Amino acid sequence: MSMGILLLIFFHIVILLPIATSLSCYHCVSTQPGCGNSFDWRWHWSRTCEDSNDKCVKIVEQKGADEVITRSCLSGLEFLRHDIPADKYEGCRPASVDVKLAHYVNNSIKQLDIRRDYYNQVLWCFCEFDHFCNTSERVIEFHFLIVASGLLITMIYFKGNN
């Protein structure tokens, strides 16, 4: 094998390695522009999830006409939220109810919401099989464009040497 072919193979392995080992998810709240129901991927960059078995999460919290949408990695929300459903497989589920949450607390400040009962409906949506899957629309992935351009360069290289 020539040195050029080995460099091309190494280049493809280096590009494909981060795709296989980590999951990229959007991280935003609907109070930020472009993060509501009409999600605009140009405003929000993705973040790589820290955990190797992580999932992308989209939380939809509704009270009347008010709606708050949160997008993030599950590992970033596990220490903050106590209403994560036990079934975290692909799909959407209602939030779990913790009856013992703030049971022995006497709180007169309603805005603190220590019992997490302000919203009438909380829906957790999980996904893990596709990058940027916690969006509302299908997005062409940046990694796909890199791999496609690498394959195109390889084909041009081989065509020029034959």
Side-chain angles (χ1 to χ4, degrees):
M1 283 187 152
S2 71
M3 188 64 154
I5 294 173
L6 289 175
L7 282 174
L8 284 174
I9 292 172
F10 177 74
F11 176 73
H12 288 310
I13 290 173
V14 168
I15 285 180
L16 291 175
L17 191 63
I19 296 172
T21 59
S22 62
L23 181 67
S24 297
C25 300
Y26 290 110
H27 183 81
C28 63
V29 181
S30 62
T31 56
Q32 300 169 343
C35 189
N37 277 333
S38 57
F39 184 76
D40 189 2
W41 60 272
R42 294 170 294 185
W43 282 82
H44 304 284
W45 291 4
S46 66
R47 290 191 183 170
T48 304
C49 299
E50 296 102 20
D51 193 7
S52 61
N53 293 324
D54 220 343
K55 295 167 180 29
C56 294
V57 176
K58 177 182 172 186
I59 307 169
V60 181
E61 299 171 307
Q62 294 178 336
K63 180 171 181 112
D66 291 335
E67 184 177 66
V68 176
I69 299 173
T70 305
R71 293 176 170 89
S72 186
C73 298
L74 182 61
S75 63
L77 296 171
E78 283 179 326
F79 66 94
L80 290 173
R81 305 289 297 252
H82 299 284
D83 59 346
I84 302 173
D87 183 13
K88 299 178 184 100
Y89 195 68
E90 192 95 9
C92 296
R93 281 156 208 86
S96 64
V97 178
D98 188 0
V99 293
K100 294 183 179 181
L101 186 65
H103 188 66
Y104 296 109
V105 177
N106 185 10
N107 184 21
S108 60
I109 303 171
K110 292 181 181 179
Q111 289 81 2
L112 288 180
D113 192 28
I114 57 174
R115 293 191 175 146
R116 307 267 330 149
D117 59 356
Y118 174 76
Y119 293 104
N120 296 335
Q121 182 181 7
V122 179
L123 190 67
W124 286 72
C125 297
F126 300 97
C127 56
E128 62 181 321
F129 297 122
D130 196 11
H131 291 287
F132 316 113
C133 61
N134 58 347
T135 180
S136 58
E137 305 171 352
R138 187 76 180 124
V139 178
I140 296 176
E141 298 178 16
F142 179 69
H143 294 297
F144 173 74
L145 296 176
I146 292 175
V147 171
S149 64
L151 290 173
L152 183 65
I153 291 170
T154 305
M155 288 177 18
I156 293 171
Y157 177 79
F158 283 124
K159 196 170 204 175
N161 287 340
N162 289 338

